[in-house]
Structures are given as C-alpha cells and as structure tokens.
Amino acid sequence: MTAPPVLPKFRQQLILSVLMLCSLIIWLDNTVLSATLETLADPVRGLGANPGELQWATGSYTLAFATLMFTAGALGDRFGHRTVFSGGLVIFAGSSLWAAYASDANQLIAARAAMGVGSALITPAMLAILMWTFTGAARAAAIGIFSTSAGVGMAAGPVLAGFLLDHFWWGSVFLINVPVAVLALAGLAVLVPNFRSPTVRPLDPAGMVLSITGLVALAYGLIRAGQVAVWSRADVWVPIVVGLGLLAAFVLVELRVKVPSFDPRLLAQRTFGGGNLALGLLLFAVAAITFYNAFYLQGALGFSPMQAGLANIPTALGAIAGAPLASRLVRRLSLRPVAVPAFTVAALTMAGYGVLGLDTPLVWIELLLLVQGLSIGMVIGPVTAALVSKLPLEQAGAGSAVTNTVRQTGSVIGIAVGGTIMSIAYRSAIEPSLVGAPGPVQDQARVSAEQARHVAAATQQPALAQAADDAFIHAMHVGAGWIAVITLLGAAVLLVTVPAAGRKPEPDREEAVPEPQSVLEPNP
C-alpha cells in the first residue's frame, strides 16, 4: 500500500479544522430539524405539514444517507476522497437552499432526501481524509478532537434553531448551511490533497437500488397506515410486503457478490449480529421518541423554539458524558455489566414519557432528558467499539458499513412506526370531541394536534384546543409504551449475545478502535 504524503503539522491542523466544520454542519442540520417540526406543522408560520409529511421530511434524509454511504466510500476510493467530498458539499449546499425556500411539504421532502445524498458522500470522505492525514498517536488525538464536533452540534443545534425560528422564518435553519459549505469547499480546494486508495473497491449498483427501493416501500406503507388509520388497506400492506421482499432480495444479492458493500454474513456472528440488532432497536427508539419530544415541548406545552432548544440541552450533555464514562467502566468491568443496565435505563426513560403531562414541572422533564442522554451515550459508544473490535482487521471496513447501515435503518423505521402509532392513537382520542363540529373543522382536527389548535383558534373554540392537547398526550403515552417495549427487547438481545466478563475480547483489540468513532455518523 502506498504511504500517504507527510503533511506539515500546521496544514494538518487546518485540514482538521475544515473536517470539523463539515461534521458540525451535518450534526447541526440533523438537530435543528427536530426543533423545526412544530413550526413546519403550523399552517400559518410553516407549511401546514401533516404528521406523515413530517415523518417523510425526517426519514427521507436518513433513508438516503443509510443506503448511499457505503457506495460513497467506494466512489472515494475510485475518484479521490476530496473529489467526492466536494461533490457532497455542493449537493448539500444546493439542497439546503432548496429546502429553505420549499413552497410545500413535498418539495421539502425531496430537498431533505437530496441533503441525505450530500451527507452520504461527505461522511465517509471525512473519515478517510482524517485517516490519510494523520498517523500514529496524532491520528488517535485527531479522532478524539474531531468527535467533539458531534457533541457541539447536538448541544448547539436546538438552541441555534430556536434563535433562528424566533427571529426569522423557518427556512433560515437550512439557509445557514450554505455559507458554511462554501467556506468548507474553499478549505478543501486549498488544503486537502485528493487522497485515494490504491485498492479500488467495486461499485454495487444492484445492492444500492434494491436497498433504496425496499426501504422506501417499507417506510411508505408504515407511514401510510398512520394517515388512514387502517392496516388492511392495499395501499398499506402491499408496500410493506413489497419492501420486505426487496430487502430480502438485497440480502440475497449481497450474499452472492464477491466483494459486497453490505456483508450480511457478518450478522450471522452471534455477538456482531446481536449487538447490531440491539443498536438498531435503540436507534429505532431514539428516532421515535425525539419525534414525540418536538411536538410535546412546542405544541402541547407551548414552548417557544428557543425555550424548547434550551430544554433539550440536558440530552446532549448526558450523551457527551455517557460515552467516556462507559469507556472507563468497560475497561474495569467488561461490556455487558455496563451496557445492559444502561440500555435498561434508556428503556425506562422512554417509558417515562408515558407519565409526562401538560402540568409536569420542567425540572422533572429536564431530569428525564439528562438520564436518557446519559444512558444512550453509555450504550452506543462502547457497544459500537466492541463490535468492530471483534472483527479481523481486513473485515473492519465491511463491519463498519454494516453497523452504520443497521443504525440508520433503525432510525428510518423508528420515525415511520413511532409517527404512525402517534397518529392512530391521536385520531382515536380526538374523535369524541368532534361530535357536532362542522365537517371542515372535523377533517382538519383529525390531521394532527397542530391543525386542531389552528382551527380552534380560527373558529374560537378553546375547548377543541384543549381536547387536541389531551389527545396528543394520550397518543404520546401510547407510543412511549411501545417504544419502551422495543428498547427493552434491545436490552434483552444485548444480554443474550454479548459475552460475559470471563469471555470478553482482549483489551488491546478493544482499545484498537477508539470509542469516539462510534458517534461520527449523524442520526436524525
């Protein structure tokens, strides 16, 4: 393998700054969207998007990211990582501009999918450039510094979104990506060599098409169920069956490819497969509960975007503290006695949403969010590091692709299922309050609590607004119960599949994979 050129230390530091800037805008973009959902649902201040459209606005990004990222890595090997990185930044900036000025929900969904394409091209290129730029101890230090951009983005994103939404229109949360991307492009052109691997990985167009179409069909069926509140309709179950069939075909195709982008054989290994399944279930739960959180704080409690952003800071702080804390505990106790209890606590915090109401004191909400972030951080970091460290070095790249794809797929399905449960439960709860109301009022109130509050204000029916709040709280409680069950299932899978302390991996193999890498891939 050709050794990378040794760059001056100052230039290395500048390259690291450019990479951190790009990572930061991706993390900011993911977190600011959650804070914007309530505004987008408002017919006056936003686009009047219904819950299904908001699920797609969130999920289309993650879906594109999940299915294209492993292909993007192969493109970087073939054409150069700077070239692919630059292309991703151009797509990300252009689609951010499109999203900022989207005139309806469908345009926003399409723009978000395009942003996911850009992020999928950027993320593996960032990591590859980081690995080519630094060597030895400097590489480990650079990874540690680079990973802080995730924590900064998680903490600053909701607050930044709150400030922008309080002072500008909703599109400003996407528009801020454009100048940052232009600055990053200039830094890439001036500072970064066009690193490329001497071993070119083959592209996988069949796998890419099957994975995209399968996930789109599956997500469509699940989201459609929430819109029509019936599972027996053909436009619900047919896409679900087709999607599952296409994903099964994707697995079969990857099994027959000599060098697969996604290697399903790795999932047959007990620890690696079970650990990834557990992480997928956890990311399912995180995506769903985050979706609920946005509407609870800004919709039901009436927080301003800035107040909601500040209220979510404990989650980010807990996640930032959880990963290094768990790393130290794992070295002392092994993985299972640390990750399984933390996983269980995460499930209990999901269930905790089932007792939140319209009058819950803010201090209890903040405590719940802090514990939730801490427990999730204590699971994702050490489990991901342990899973990759179990693989031989020649399988590390394939294992990373599998882990990232499973995590992002869990997020896509979590948004679809969590939003659908909420929609069905809300519609059932609001129905008794609509008896005797005019037809147009009933139709709008059934769509979502946001639409119900709007029509209640327009027709001067405060009782309807109160009923919408109560119906939403009921729906959140129902959804939180199911999400907690899914999270507990993930804890059980981890308990069964992760070796006990006496059979843990050798310490030097675990430490060979730095824990900060586990949080480099963004999740909505």
Side-chain angles (χ1 to χ4, degrees):
M1 179 175 178
T2 305
V6 178
L7 302 176
K9 185 175 181 180
F10 181 66
R11 185 175 176 184
Q12 289 179 337
Q13 293 172 341
L14 291 176
I15 291 174
L16 180 59
S17 299
V18 172
L19 297 179
M20 289 185 66
L21 182 66
C22 296
S23 177
L24 181 62
I25 64 170
I26 292 177
W27 276 98
L28 285 174
D29 180 73
N30 280 273
T31 52
V32 298
L33 180 65
S34 297
T36 313
L37 292 175
E38 177 69 26
T39 302
L40 291 171
D42 191 284
V44 177
R45 296 182 298 129
L47 298 175
N50 62 45
E53 290 168 333
L54 294 175
Q55 287 170 272
W56 275 115
T58 305
S60 62
Y61 176 99
T62 310
L63 192 152
F65 185 88
T67 53
L68 293 177
M69 188 166 62
F70 48 78
T71 301
L75 289 174
D77 291 341
R78 184 179 296 264
F79 300 109
H81 294 292
R82 186 185 66 184
T83 300
V84 174
F85 197 153
S86 300
L89 277 173
V90 170
I91 294 172
F92 189 79
S95 52
S96 295
L97 190 63
W98 182 13
Y101 293 99
S103 59
D104 56 44
N106 290 330
Q107 286 191 28
L108 178 62
I109 292 168
R112 288 288 298 167
M115 292 174 72
V117 173
S119 294
L121 295 173
I122 291 170
T123 300
M126 274 195 301
L127 301 179
I129 290 172
L130 186 70
M131 300 300 285
W132 280 85
T133 302
F134 297 92
T135 58
R139 177 184 292 170
I143 290 173
I145 296 171
F146 178 71
S147 66
T148 61
S149 61
V152 173
M154 290 171 62
V159 178
L160 176 62
F163 173 81
L164 292 172
L165 292 171
D166 279 350
H167 294 86
F168 306 99
W169 96 112
W170 61 265
S172 60
V173 302
F174 300 113
L175 197 61
I176 59 171
N177 295 331
V178 178
V180 179
V182 171
L183 180 62
L185 275 170
L188 281 176
V190 173
L191 298 169
V192 180
N194 197 22
F195 300 116
R196 69 180 71 196
S197 173
T199 304
V200 178
R201 286 184 288 165
L203 300 178
D204 185 13
M208 182 176 67
V209 171
L210 286 171
S211 61
I212 292 174
T213 54
L215 279 175
V216 167
L218 179 60
Y220 176 85
L222 293 171
I223 292 173
R224 184 63 179 161
Q227 294 174 320
V228 299
V230 177
W231 290 95
S232 59
R233 286 178 45 156
D235 58 347
V236 172
W237 65 265
V238 169
I240 292 176
V241 172
V242 170
L244 292 174
L246 289 171
L247 291 175
F250 165 68
V251 172
L252 292 175
V253 166
E254 296 300 290
L255 286 172
R256 297 182 180 183
V257 175
K258 186 177 181 181
V259 185
S261 299
F262 178 98
D263 192 352
R265 298 173 190 85
L266 295 176
L267 295 175
Q269 301 177 21
R270 177 177 173 178
T271 300
F272 188 82
N276 273 289
L277 175 59
L279 284 179
L281 292 172
L282 179 60
L283 269 294
F284 172 105
V286 170
I289 211 70
T290 301
F291 194 73
Y292 292 3
N293 173 279
F295 297 106
Y296 173 62
L297 292 179
Q298 293 188 51
L301 299 187
F303 283 17
S304 71
M306 175 63 83
Q307 290 172 327
L310 293 171
N312 276 305
I313 287 179
T315 306
L317 296 180
I320 293 170
L325 172 62
S327 177
R328 289 193 293 271
L329 291 175
V330 166
R331 285 195 291 268
R332 181 174 300 180
L333 302 173
S334 84
L335 180 63
R336 189 161 74 174
V338 175
V340 173
F343 214 129
T344 305
V345 172
L348 294 176
T349 64
M350 305 294 176
Y353 275 74
V355 299
L356 297 180
L358 297 174
D359 300 316
T360 302
L362 180 60
V363 64
W364 292 114
I365 298 173
E366 298 298 274
L367 182 61
L368 177 68
L369 295 178
L370 177 63
V371 175
Q372 185 173 83
L374 182 67
S375 59
I376 291 170
M378 291 182 68
V379 173
I380 293 179
V383 171
T384 304
L387 293 181
V388 178
S389 71
K390 290 285 290 181
L391 298 174
L393 189 59
E394 62 271 14
Q395 290 184 311
S400 178
V402 170
T403 298
N404 291 327
T405 302
V406 169
R407 286 166 56 170
Q408 300 298 332
T409 301
S411 296
V412 171
I413 299 176
I415 294 166
V417 174
T420 292
I421 292 173
M422 183 175 70
S423 296
I424 293 174
Y426 166 79
R427 196 168 302 176
S428 174
I430 194 67
E431 200 64 43
S433 302
L434 301 180
V435 176
V441 172
Q442 292 189 28
D443 293 340
Q444 191 168 354
R446 289 190 186 102
V447 172
S448 67
E450 289 69 36
Q451 296 280 356
R453 295 186 196 102
H454 175 73
V455 73
T459 58
Q460 298 184 344
Q461 298 184 52
L464 178 57
Q466 182 62 47
D469 288 341
D470 293 337
F472 169 81
I473 294 297
H474 167 77
M476 184 177 73
H477 289 173
V478 172
W482 284 106
I483 293 169
V485 170
I486 294 296
T487 314
L488 281 174
L489 177 61
V493 169
L494 199 65
L495 176 65
V496 171
T497 56
V498 170
R503 295 182 290 129
K504 68 179 180 177
E506 293 298 322
D508 57 337
R509 284 290 292 132
E510 279 197 33
E511 292 172 5
V513 181
E515 284 81 353
Q517 291 188 42
S518 64
V519 294
L520 296 182
E521 299 81 22
N523 295 293

